[in-house]
PDB file of all heavy atoms in Angstrom:
ATOM      1  N   TRP A  10      91.627 105.577  99.140  1.00  0.00           N
ATOM      2  CA  TRP A  10      90.377 105.075  98.624  1.00  0.00           C
ATOM      3  C   TRP A  10      90.602 103.708  98.060  1.00  0.00           C
ATOM      4  O   TRP A  10      90.924 103.542  96.906  1.00  0.00           O
ATOM      5  CB  TRP A  10      89.894 106.037  97.560  1.00  0.00           C
ATOM      6  CG  TRP A  10      88.726 105.578  96.821  1.00  0.00           C
ATOM      7  CD1 TRP A  10      88.714 104.810  95.698  1.00  0.00           C
ATOM      8  CD2 TRP A  10      87.382 105.850  97.128  1.00  0.00           C
ATOM      9  NE1 TRP A  10      87.427 104.596  95.310  1.00  0.00           N
ATOM     10  CE2 TRP A  10      86.593 105.219  96.159  1.00  0.00           C
ATOM     11  CE3 TRP A  10      86.750 106.567  98.153  1.00  0.00           C
ATOM     12  CZ2 TRP A  10      85.211 105.289  96.159  1.00  0.00           C
ATOM     13  CZ3 TRP A  10      85.387 106.640  98.143  1.00  0.00           C
ATOM     14  CH2 TRP A  10      84.636 105.998  97.157  1.00  0.00           C
ATOM     15  N   GLY A  18      95.912  93.798  93.890  1.00  0.00           N
ATOM     16  CA  GLY A  18      97.305  93.383  93.796  1.00  0.00           C
ATOM     17  C   GLY A  18      97.568  91.953  94.239  1.00  0.00           C
ATOM     18  O   GLY A  18      98.685  91.613  94.563  1.00  0.00           O
ATOM     19  N   ARG A  19      96.555  91.118  94.299  1.00  0.00           N
ATOM     20  CA  ARG A  19      96.815  89.724  94.684  1.00  0.00           C
ATOM     21  C   ARG A  19      96.999  88.871  93.450  1.00  0.00           C
ATOM     22  O   ARG A  19      96.079  88.657  92.680  1.00  0.00           O
ATOM     23  CB  ARG A  19      95.671  89.187  95.536  1.00  0.00           C
ATOM     24  CG  ARG A  19      95.849  89.517  96.999  1.00  0.00           C
ATOM     25  CD  ARG A  19      94.864  88.726  97.847  1.00  0.00           C
ATOM     26  NE  ARG A  19      94.853  87.313  97.516  1.00  0.00           N
ATOM     27  CZ  ARG A  19      93.843  86.508  97.848  1.00  0.00           C
ATOM     28  NH1 ARG A  19      92.782  86.986  98.449  1.00  0.00           N
ATOM     29  NH2 ARG A  19      93.889  85.227  97.540  1.00  0.00           N
ATOM     30  N   LYS A  21      97.344  85.885  90.991  1.00  0.00           N
ATOM     31  CA  LYS A  21      96.743  84.563  90.908  1.00  0.00           C
ATOM     32  C   LYS A  21      97.839  83.551  90.581  1.00  0.00           C
ATOM     33  O   LYS A  21      98.589  83.716  89.631  1.00  0.00           O
ATOM     34  CB  LYS A  21      95.683  84.570  89.811  1.00  0.00           C
ATOM     35  CG  LYS A  21      94.858  83.301  89.792  1.00  0.00           C
ATOM     36  CD  LYS A  21      93.820  83.352  88.699  1.00  0.00           C
ATOM     37  CE  LYS A  21      93.278  81.973  88.439  1.00  0.00           C
ATOM     38  NZ  LYS A  21      92.305  81.941  87.359  1.00  0.00           N
ATOM     39  N   LYS A  23      98.894  79.497  89.881  1.00  0.00           N
ATOM     40  CA  LYS A  23      98.366  78.191  89.520  1.00  0.00           C
ATOM     41  C   LYS A  23      98.818  77.161  90.548  1.00  0.00           C
ATOM     42  O   LYS A  23      99.953  77.145  90.995  1.00  0.00           O
ATOM     43  CB  LYS A  23      98.859  77.794  88.121  1.00  0.00           C
ATOM     44  CG  LYS A  23      98.309  78.676  87.028  1.00  0.00           C
ATOM     45  CD  LYS A  23      97.894  77.836  85.831  1.00  0.00           C
ATOM     46  CE  LYS A  23      97.505  78.728  84.657  1.00  0.00           C
ATOM     47  NZ  LYS A  23      96.120  79.025  84.567  1.00  0.00           N
ATOM     48  N   ARG A  54      78.035  91.993 122.587  1.00  0.00           N
ATOM     49  CA  ARG A  54      77.573  93.360 122.371  1.00  0.00           C
ATOM     50  C   ARG A  54      76.080  93.463 122.668  1.00  0.00           C
ATOM     51  O   ARG A  54      75.613  94.416 123.276  1.00  0.00           O
ATOM     52  CB  ARG A  54      77.851  93.750 120.920  1.00  0.00           C
ATOM     53  CG  ARG A  54      77.670  95.239 120.666  1.00  0.00           C
ATOM     54  CD  ARG A  54      77.873  95.565 119.201  1.00  0.00           C
ATOM     55  NE  ARG A  54      77.902  96.995 118.963  1.00  0.00           N
ATOM     56  CZ  ARG A  54      77.877  97.537 117.751  1.00  0.00           C
ATOM     57  NH1 ARG A  54      77.849  96.756 116.679  1.00  0.00           N
ATOM     58  NH2 ARG A  54      77.891  98.843 117.604  1.00  0.00           N
ATOM     59  N   ASN A  74      91.131  91.338 109.842  1.00  0.00           N
ATOM     60  CA  ASN A  74      90.164  92.021 108.983  1.00  0.00           C
ATOM     61  C   ASN A  74      89.815  93.404 109.533  1.00  0.00           C
ATOM     62  O   ASN A  74      88.746  93.615 110.096  1.00  0.00           O
ATOM     63  CB  ASN A  74      88.905  91.146 108.859  1.00  0.00           C
ATOM     64  CG  ASN A  74      87.977  91.636 107.767  1.00  0.00           C
ATOM     65  OD1 ASN A  74      88.284  92.605 107.077  1.00  0.00           O
ATOM     66  ND2 ASN A  74      86.841  90.989 107.621  1.00  0.00           N
ATOM     67  N   TYR A  78      83.913  97.218 110.250  1.00  0.00           N
ATOM     68  CA  TYR A  78      83.647  98.478 110.967  1.00  0.00           C
ATOM     69  C   TYR A  78      82.759  98.321 112.198  1.00  0.00           C
ATOM     70  O   TYR A  78      82.934  99.011 113.195  1.00  0.00           O
ATOM     71  CB  TYR A  78      83.066  99.518 110.016  1.00  0.00           C
ATOM     72  CG  TYR A  78      81.655  99.203 109.523  1.00  0.00           C
ATOM     73  CD1 TYR A  78      80.542  99.815 110.093  1.00  0.00           C
ATOM     74  CD2 TYR A  78      81.438  98.293 108.498  1.00  0.00           C
ATOM     75  CE1 TYR A  78      79.256  99.528 109.659  1.00  0.00           C
ATOM     76  CE2 TYR A  78      80.162  97.993 108.057  1.00  0.00           C
ATOM     77  CZ  TYR A  78      79.072  98.612 108.640  1.00  0.00           C
ATOM     78  OH  TYR A  78      77.804  98.325 108.220  1.00  0.00           O
ATOM     79  N   SER A  79      81.810  97.371 112.158  1.00  0.00           N
ATOM     80  CA  SER A  79      80.909  97.226 113.314  1.00  0.00           C
ATOM     81  C   SER A  79      81.682  96.795 114.561  1.00  0.00           C
ATOM     82  O   SER A  79      81.312  97.152 115.679  1.00  0.00           O
ATOM     83  CB  SER A  79      79.806  96.213 113.008  1.00  0.00           C
ATOM     84  OG  SER A  79      79.055  96.640 111.893  1.00  0.00           O
ATOM     85  N   ASN A  82      83.304  99.711 116.078  1.00  0.00           N
ATOM     86  CA  ASN A  82      82.282 100.454 116.814  1.00  0.00           C
ATOM     87  C   ASN A  82      82.032  99.829 118.195  1.00  0.00           C
ATOM     88  O   ASN A  82      81.865 100.547 119.179  1.00  0.00           O
ATOM     89  CB  ASN A  82      80.971 100.498 116.022  1.00  0.00           C
ATOM     90  CG  ASN A  82      81.097 101.329 114.753  1.00  0.00           C
ATOM     91  OD1 ASN A  82      82.075 102.059 114.586  1.00  0.00           O
ATOM     92  ND2 ASN A  82      80.133 101.211 113.857  1.00  0.00           N
ATOM     93  N   TYR A 175     105.063 115.410  95.563  1.00  0.00           N
ATOM     94  CA  TYR A 175     103.708 115.898  95.356  1.00  0.00           C
ATOM     95  C   TYR A 175     103.047 116.300  96.668  1.00  0.00           C
ATOM     96  O   TYR A 175     102.408 117.339  96.778  1.00  0.00           O
ATOM     97  CB  TYR A 175     102.871 114.814  94.680  1.00  0.00           C
ATOM     98  CG  TYR A 175     101.700 115.356  93.916  1.00  0.00           C
ATOM     99  CD1 TYR A 175     101.847 115.753  92.588  1.00  0.00           C
ATOM    100  CD2 TYR A 175     100.468 115.497  94.518  1.00  0.00           C
ATOM    101  CE1 TYR A 175     100.780 116.270  91.881  1.00  0.00           C
ATOM    102  CE2 TYR A 175      99.395 116.022  93.827  1.00  0.00           C
ATOM    103  CZ  TYR A 175      99.552 116.405  92.507  1.00  0.00           C
ATOM    104  OH  TYR A 175      98.497 116.919  91.819  1.00  0.00           O
ATOM    105  N   LYS A 183      98.412 124.647 100.806  1.00  0.00           N
ATOM    106  CA  LYS A 183      97.428 124.842 101.865  1.00  0.00           C
ATOM    107  C   LYS A 183      97.965 125.781 102.940  1.00  0.00           C
ATOM    108  O   LYS A 183      97.231 126.559 103.544  1.00  0.00           O
ATOM    109  CB  LYS A 183      97.065 123.508 102.512  1.00  0.00           C
ATOM    110  CG  LYS A 183      96.371 122.537 101.589  1.00  0.00           C
ATOM    111  CD  LYS A 183      95.008 123.076 101.176  1.00  0.00           C
ATOM    112  CE  LYS A 183      94.434 122.247 100.059  1.00  0.00           C
ATOM    113  NZ  LYS A 183      93.263 122.898  99.447  1.00  0.00           N
ATOM    114  N   LEU A 270      90.757 128.464  90.414  1.00  0.00           N
ATOM    115  CA  LEU A 270      90.765 127.139  89.800  1.00  0.00           C
ATOM    116  C   LEU A 270      89.716 127.046  88.709  1.00  0.00           C
ATOM    117  O   LEU A 270      89.652 126.093  87.958  1.00  0.00           O
ATOM    118  CB  LEU A 270      90.459 126.067  90.850  1.00  0.00           C
ATOM    119  CG  LEU A 270      91.560 125.803  91.856  1.00  0.00           C
ATOM    120  CD1 LEU A 270      91.038 124.970  92.994  1.00  0.00           C
ATOM    121  CD2 LEU A 270      92.720 125.112  91.187  1.00  0.00           C
TER     122      LEU A 270
ATOM    123  N   ILE B  42      84.757  86.794 105.178  1.00  0.00           N
ATOM    124  CA  ILE B  42      85.472  87.983 105.649  1.00  0.00           C
ATOM    125  C   ILE B  42      85.062  89.249 104.897  1.00  0.00           C
ATOM    126  O   ILE B  42      85.455  90.338 105.260  1.00  0.00           O
ATOM    127  CB  ILE B  42      87.013  87.832 105.606  1.00  0.00           C
ATOM    128  CG1 ILE B  42      87.497  87.566 104.189  1.00  0.00           C
ATOM    129  CG2 ILE B  42      87.507  86.770 106.558  1.00  0.00           C
ATOM    130  CD1 ILE B  42      88.998  87.754 104.042  1.00  0.00           C
ATOM    131  N   ASP B  93      76.351  97.473 111.743  1.00  0.00           N
ATOM    132  CA  ASP B  93      75.897  98.833 112.065  1.00  0.00           C
ATOM    133  C   ASP B  93      75.495  99.629 110.826  1.00  0.00           C
ATOM    134  O   ASP B  93      76.058  99.431 109.741  1.00  0.00           O
ATOM    135  CB  ASP B  93      77.015  99.591 112.801  1.00  0.00           C
ATOM    136  CG  ASP B  93      77.292  98.984 114.177  1.00  0.00           C
ATOM    137  OD1 ASP B  93      76.574  98.044 114.564  1.00  0.00           O
ATOM    138  OD2 ASP B  93      78.225  99.458 114.855  1.00  0.00           O
ATOM    139  N   ARG B 145      83.342 111.623 100.361  1.00  0.00           N
ATOM    140  CA  ARG B 145      82.632 110.443  99.856  1.00  0.00           C
ATOM    141  C   ARG B 145      81.228 110.396 100.431  1.00  0.00           C
ATOM    142  O   ARG B 145      80.278 109.991  99.759  1.00  0.00           O
ATOM    143  CB  ARG B 145      83.357 109.153 100.273  1.00  0.00           C
ATOM    144  CG  ARG B 145      84.675 108.927  99.580  1.00  0.00           C
ATOM    145  CD  ARG B 145      85.279 107.600 100.021  1.00  0.00           C
ATOM    146  NE  ARG B 145      85.412 107.548 101.477  1.00  0.00           N
ATOM    147  CZ  ARG B 145      85.277 106.444 102.210  1.00  0.00           C
ATOM    148  NH1 ARG B 145      84.983 105.292 101.641  1.00  0.00           N
ATOM    149  NH2 ARG B 145      85.436 106.476 103.509  1.00  0.00           N
ATOM    150  N   ASN B 177      91.468 121.362  95.408  1.00  0.00           N
ATOM    151  CA  ASN B 177      92.902 121.597  95.585  1.00  0.00           C
ATOM    152  C   ASN B 177      93.585 122.326  94.424  1.00  0.00           C
ATOM    153  O   ASN B 177      92.967 122.562  93.393  1.00  0.00           O
ATOM    154  CB  ASN B 177      93.609 120.263  95.805  1.00  0.00           C
ATOM    155  CG  ASN B 177      93.326 119.699  97.171  1.00  0.00           C
ATOM    156  OD1 ASN B 177      93.228 120.459  98.142  1.00  0.00           O
ATOM    157  ND2 ASN B 177      93.160 118.395  97.250  1.00  0.00           N
ATOM    158  N   ASP B 179      95.491 121.362  92.235  1.00  0.00           N
ATOM    159  CA  ASP B 179      95.584 120.623  90.977  1.00  0.00           C
ATOM    160  C   ASP B 179      94.219 120.440  90.331  1.00  0.00           C
ATOM    161  O   ASP B 179      94.087 119.744  89.334  1.00  0.00           O
ATOM    162  CB  ASP B 179      96.235 119.262  91.225  1.00  0.00           C
ATOM    163  CG  ASP B 179      95.609 118.536  92.420  1.00  0.00           C
ATOM    164  OD1 ASP B 179      94.437 118.824  92.733  1.00  0.00           O
ATOM    165  OD2 ASP B 179      96.289 117.702  93.037  1.00  0.00           O
ATOM    166  N   GLY B 187      91.874 120.555 102.843  1.00  0.00           N
ATOM    167  CA  GLY B 187      93.293 120.396 103.124  1.00  0.00           C
ATOM    168  C   GLY B 187      93.864 119.044 102.742  1.00  0.00           C
ATOM    169  O   GLY B 187      95.070 118.880 102.705  1.00  0.00           O
ATOM    170  N   HIS B 210      81.515 124.668  88.687  1.00  0.00           N
ATOM    171  CA  HIS B 210      82.612 124.977  89.613  1.00  0.00           C
ATOM    172  C   HIS B 210      83.888 124.224  89.265  1.00  0.00           C
ATOM    173  O   HIS B 210      84.949 124.508  89.794  1.00  0.00           O
ATOM    174  CB  HIS B 210      82.212 124.621  91.039  1.00  0.00           C
ATOM    175  CG  HIS B 210      81.208 125.546  91.624  1.00  0.00           C
ATOM    176  ND1 HIS B 210      81.508 126.847  91.964  1.00  0.00           N
ATOM    177  CD2 HIS B 210      79.898 125.379  91.898  1.00  0.00           C
ATOM    178  CE1 HIS B 210      80.430 127.432  92.442  1.00  0.00           C
ATOM    179  NE2 HIS B 210      79.428 126.560  92.410  1.00  0.00           N
ATOM    180  N   ASN B 212      86.942 123.033  87.053  1.00  0.00           N
ATOM    181  CA  ASN B 212      87.764 123.391  85.918  1.00  0.00           C
ATOM    182  C   ASN B 212      88.063 122.092  85.168  1.00  0.00           C
ATOM    183  O   ASN B 212      89.003 121.383  85.478  1.00  0.00           O
ATOM    184  CB  ASN B 212      89.048 124.050  86.412  1.00  0.00           C
ATOM    185  CG  ASN B 212      89.947 124.448  85.267  1.00  0.00           C
ATOM    186  OD1 ASN B 212      89.806 123.940  84.153  1.00  0.00           O
ATOM    187  ND2 ASN B 212      90.857 125.338  85.532  1.00  0.00           N
ATOM    188  N   TRP B 219      94.998 116.619  85.114  1.00  0.00           N
ATOM    189  CA  TRP B 219      95.475 115.854  86.278  1.00  0.00           C
ATOM    190  C   TRP B 219      95.177 114.380  86.094  1.00  0.00           C
ATOM    191  O   TRP B 219      96.014 113.527  86.294  1.00  0.00           O
ATOM    192  CB  TRP B 219      94.793 116.377  87.549  1.00  0.00           C
ATOM    193  CG  TRP B 219      95.362 115.825  88.821  1.00  0.00           C
ATOM    194  CD1 TRP B 219      96.401 116.324  89.545  1.00  0.00           C
ATOM    195  CD2 TRP B 219      94.917 114.659  89.539  1.00  0.00           C
ATOM    196  NE1 TRP B 219      96.627 115.548  90.653  1.00  0.00           N
ATOM    197  CE2 TRP B 219      95.744 114.528  90.680  1.00  0.00           C
ATOM    198  CE3 TRP B 219      93.916 113.718  89.334  1.00  0.00           C
ATOM    199  CZ2 TRP B 219      95.588 113.500  91.609  1.00  0.00           C
ATOM    200  CZ3 TRP B 219      93.765 112.683  90.258  1.00  0.00           C
ATOM    201  CH2 TRP B 219      94.592 112.589  91.380  1.00  0.00           C
ATOM    202  N   ASP B 251      89.735  87.164  83.626  1.00  0.00           N
ATOM    203  CA  ASP B 251      90.252  85.826  83.871  1.00  0.00           C
ATOM    204  C   ASP B 251      89.496  84.876  82.951  1.00  0.00           C
ATOM    205  O   ASP B 251      88.283  84.695  83.093  1.00  0.00           O
ATOM    206  CB  ASP B 251      90.042  85.442  85.343  1.00  0.00           C
ATOM    207  CG  ASP B 251      90.729  84.128  85.693  1.00  0.00           C
ATOM    208  OD1 ASP B 251      90.693  83.202  84.842  1.00  0.00           O
ATOM    209  OD2 ASP B 251      91.289  84.016  86.793  1.00  0.00           O
ATOM    210  N   GLU B 253      89.580  81.738  82.755  1.00  0.00           N
ATOM    211  CA  GLU B 253      89.143  80.473  83.363  1.00  0.00           C
ATOM    212  C   GLU B 253      87.881  80.665  84.198  1.00  0.00           C
ATOM    213  O   GLU B 253      86.880  80.000  84.002  1.00  0.00           O
ATOM    214  CB  GLU B 253      90.250  79.920  84.270  1.00  0.00           C
ATOM    215  CG  GLU B 253      91.426  79.345  83.500  1.00  0.00           C
ATOM    216  CD  GLU B 253      92.569  78.992  84.450  1.00  0.00           C
ATOM    217  OE1 GLU B 253      92.362  79.046  85.698  1.00  0.00           O
ATOM    218  OE2 GLU B 253      93.655  78.685  83.956  1.00  0.00           O
ATOM    219  N   ASP B 259      92.091  93.723  89.225  1.00  0.00           N
ATOM    220  CA  ASP B 259      92.574  95.111  89.157  1.00  0.00           C
ATOM    221  C   ASP B 259      93.651  95.276  88.090  1.00  0.00           C
ATOM    222  O   ASP B 259      93.862  96.359  87.570  1.00  0.00           O
ATOM    223  CB  ASP B 259      93.053  95.592  90.538  1.00  0.00           C
ATOM    224  CG  ASP B 259      94.249  94.790  91.060  1.00  0.00           C
ATOM    225  OD1 ASP B 259      94.453  93.643  90.597  1.00  0.00           O
ATOM    226  OD2 ASP B 259      94.986  95.315  91.913  1.00  0.00           O
ATOM    227  N   MET B 264      93.870  88.195  91.062  1.00  0.00           N
ATOM    228  CA  MET B 264      92.605  87.539  91.398  1.00  0.00           C
ATOM    229  C   MET B 264      91.424  88.453  91.046  1.00  0.00           C
ATOM    230  O   MET B 264      91.475  89.656  91.287  1.00  0.00           O
ATOM    231  CB  MET B 264      92.553  87.251  92.904  1.00  0.00           C
ATOM    232  CG  MET B 264      93.671  86.375  93.420  1.00  0.00           C
ATOM    233  SD  MET B 264      93.356  84.642  93.104  1.00  0.00           S
ATOM    234  CE  MET B 264      92.206  84.291  94.427  1.00  0.00           C
TER     235      MET B 264
END
Side-chain angles (χ1 to χ4, degrees):
Chain A
W10 172 272
R19 274 192 49 199
K21 189 180 164 182
K23 294 222 187 266
R54 192 183 189 190
N74 192 2
Y78 69 100
S79 300
N82 293 347
Y175 204 87
K183 295 295 169 192
L270 288 168
Chain B
I42 60 166
D93 294 356
R145 290 182 304 146
N177 287 323
D179 48 25
H210 288 290
N212 180 341
W219 189 88
D251 188 321
E253 287 172 9
D259 63 338
M264 301 280 281

